[in-house]
Amino acid sequence: MTLRPDPEEQPVAPSAPWRAGSTFVMGAVGLLCRGFLAISKTEAHGLDKFLKLLDEREDVEGRQKGLITVSNHVSVLDDPMIWGILPLSYMFKPDNMRWGLGSYDLCFTNKGLSTFFTLGQVLPTHRSAHSQFGGLFQPTITQAIRLLGRGPFLNASDHLEKPSKSLRSPDISDPFSGGHLTFSTNGTDTFPSPSAYLTRRHAWVHIFPEGMIHQHEDKTMRYFKWGVSRLILESDPLPDVVPMWIEGPQDAMNEERTFPRFLPRPGKNISITFGDPLDGEKVFGDLRARWKQIHAAEQEKSGKLEVGVLNDSLKYSAEVVAIRKECTRRVRNAVLDLRRARGHGDEDPKGGYAETWLREGPDREGRMEDGSVTKDT
């Protein structure tokens, strides 16, 4: 790899000790997951094509676009468990591995956990049900959009003032780096800004758009939240979008399991299916064209906007909301196509609408009226 910093001396990568720590965490967790899948009845479909795609992306400098993988969400261990299906050689190359979104109030409650998950390429994400900082426009989504782009991104939002420390606001940065390339999720915490480095350009981001675990004997899905639409509409150029379908982790980590709850159950049937990359222009081209037109018009009125940063009109206007809804619907349909390919019949079309799930009421977790078991993650 021959990446060089640009004339403004933007950094190529985090410090060597930080990269070594990330390689260790990613590789060690990958080995554990691979070992667990080895003592389960695991099958993979479409893996060869997906590995070929990863191979084409190994040269960071040669990457032309990012990668989004999107799947259903059936257990608390879906990520990282499913990545144990990858060969060992891939697990020790963080620059070519996925970035995920992890719940702030579960994975980032103290400095130890925050450092572990940050080294494991997990972005701190606030859940609206648990934090006032959650939602579609939080800084972590901005980071994910920038990771999918060419980068590096060294904008004003990456150079926040040093926040005050608190027990609930971890202060995590690369202690071996001469600079502090960080961002804040709530104005009082500090996390490394991954999109500030050349080696993270056109990265791979995995997302579970259901936003919570959904276990049902008919293997149905909840509606998809709109965050995935922001990644598709606002990333430039359009990333490869690969749908996935997973089955079996819900048996290994069933939400109604008894003691010992913290241990996954081996020997279960686990299936991981990778779809082909979607024809992005065919599936999303019209929506992206409309988005770009609206975005350009807004910039003419309010001035240039940083990548991943939106004004109120681009957040809430009826037209952009309609575009996000339709984009999200198309992504969900792509995952449903894989579900059908794995032998499952068509689900109730109403299952894809947020309104359908209002019947859950305030009880977001546990067994629902339709027989499913859910857990906020």
Side-chain angles (χ1 to χ4, degrees):
M1 186 165 59
T2 59
L3 290 172
R4 296 288 187 272
D6 71 7
E8 296 181 3
E9 298 185 353
Q10 294 165 328
V12 171
S15 68
W18 185 268
R19 297 199 308 273
S22 183
T23 300
F24 174 79
V25 169
M26 297 287 284
V29 172
L31 282 171
L32 285 174
C33 294
R34 189 167 179 80
F36 180 79
L37 293 182
I39 59 176
S40 302
K41 302 170 185 176
T42 305
E43 59 180 25
H45 307 275
L47 178 59
D48 290 344
K49 290 182 180 179
F50 186 69
L51 292 180
K52 181 180 179 181
L53 178 61
L54 291 185
D55 290 342
E56 293 170 353
R57 296 172 45 79
E58 185 173 1
D59 176 14
V60 177
E61 191 174 18
R63 290 178 191 163
Q64 298 301 311
K65 52 186 172 180
L67 169 63
I68 300 172
T69 49
V70 54
S71 73
N72 57 320
H73 196 11
V74 296
S75 87
V76 70
L77 284 183
D78 288 348
D79 189 319
M81 182 193 294
I82 57 177
W83 308 124
I85 201 68
L86 301 178
L88 290 178
S89 59
Y90 292 76
M91 298 177 183
F92 290 89
K93 297 176 181 177
D95 288 342
N96 202 28
M97 283 293 290
R98 72 93 187 91
W99 286 83
L101 280 66
S103 299
Y104 190 99
D105 58 297
L106 295 177
C107 303
F108 297 89
T109 56
N110 57 58
K111 189 166 185 175
L113 282 175
S114 296
T115 301
F116 174 79
F117 282 102
T118 301
L119 290 172
Q121 299 191 170
V122 177
L123 299 172
T125 309
H126 291 275
R127 302 182 289 173
S128 295
H130 300 268
S131 170
Q132 62 177 312
F133 301 105
L136 188 61
F137 309 110
Q138 59 183 291
T140 289
I141 300 298
T142 300
Q143 283 294 317
I145 292 168
R146 293 176 179 182
L147 279 168
L148 292 163
R150 181 165 179 79
F153 295 97
L154 296 178
N155 299 318
S157 55
D158 294 313
H159 296 284
L160 299 174
E161 293 294 323
K162 189 77 170 178
S164 59
K165 296 181 180 179
S166 73
L167 293 177
R168 299 287 296 176
S169 298
D171 176 16
I172 305 299
S173 60
D174 180 353
F176 309 101
S177 173
H180 291 281
L181 304 172
T182 61
F183 77 104
S184 177
T185 71
N186 58 18
T188 61
D189 58 13
T190 300
F191 290 95
S193 179
S195 65
Y197 299 104
L198 285 164
T199 50
R200 272 72 177 273
R201 62 170 46 158
H202 297 319
W204 165 19
V205 175
H206 181 78
I207 187 169
F208 297 104
E210 289 173 280
M212 61 193 305
I213 294 164
H214 182 66
Q215 299 180 347
H216 193 285
E217 61 180 9
D218 293 334
K219 298 180 174 62
T220 56
M221 290 192 298
R222 289 172 51 88
Y223 72 98
F224 278 16
K225 298 183 178 181
W226 300 349
V228 65
S229 70
R230 286 203 65 193
L231 303 187
I232 291 171
L233 294 170
E234 299 178 44
S235 299
D236 190 31
L238 172 63
D240 280 322
V241 180
V242 175
M244 295 176 58
W245 178 256
I246 57 179
E247 298 180 33
Q250 69 267 31
D251 298 319
M253 288 294 279
N254 189 282
E255 281 304 312
E256 296 184 319
R257 65 193 180 278
T258 56
F259 180 84
R261 279 188 59 83
F262 62 92
L263 289 178
R265 279 40 171 180
K268 304 297 183 181
N269 294 318
I270 295 178
S271 172
I272 303 167
T273 302
F274 296 88
D276 294 330
L278 301 181
D279 184 333
E281 188 57 36
K282 179 179 179 181
V283 179
F284 305 112
D286 60 324
L287 300 178
R288 280 175 56 88
R290 288 167 59 193
W291 167 261
K292 287 182 178 181
Q293 185 179 30
I294 297 169
H295 189 269
E298 286 298 320
Q299 288 199 119
E300 283 188 8
K301 291 189 293 185
S302 62
K304 184 174 178 58
L305 297 168
E306 296 178 359
V307 173
V309 177
L310 306 177
N311 62 22
D312 283 348
S313 180
L314 290 172
K315 290 178 181 179
Y316 307 118
S317 73
E319 187 171 6
V320 298
V321 167
I323 292 173
R324 289 192 188 106
K325 281 185 176 181
E326 177 59 21
C327 182
T328 303
R329 186 190 70 83
R330 296 182 190 184
V331 174
R332 190 174 187 275
N333 283 344
V335 179
L336 283 177
D337 286 342
L338 281 186
R339 179 180 180 274
R340 281 188 287 268
R342 296 302 307 146
H344 302 291
D346 290 337
E347 64 171 26
D348 185 342
K350 296 191 297 294
Y353 296 102
E355 293 80 2
T356 301
W357 301 95
L358 290 176
R359 65 176 180 263
E360 293 180 353
D363 297 325
R364 294 173 53 85
E365 298 187 339
R367 185 166 289 276
M368 301 293 132
E369 291 183 6
D370 67 347
S372 64
V373 179
T374 63
K375 181 178 177 60
D376 211 351
T377 62

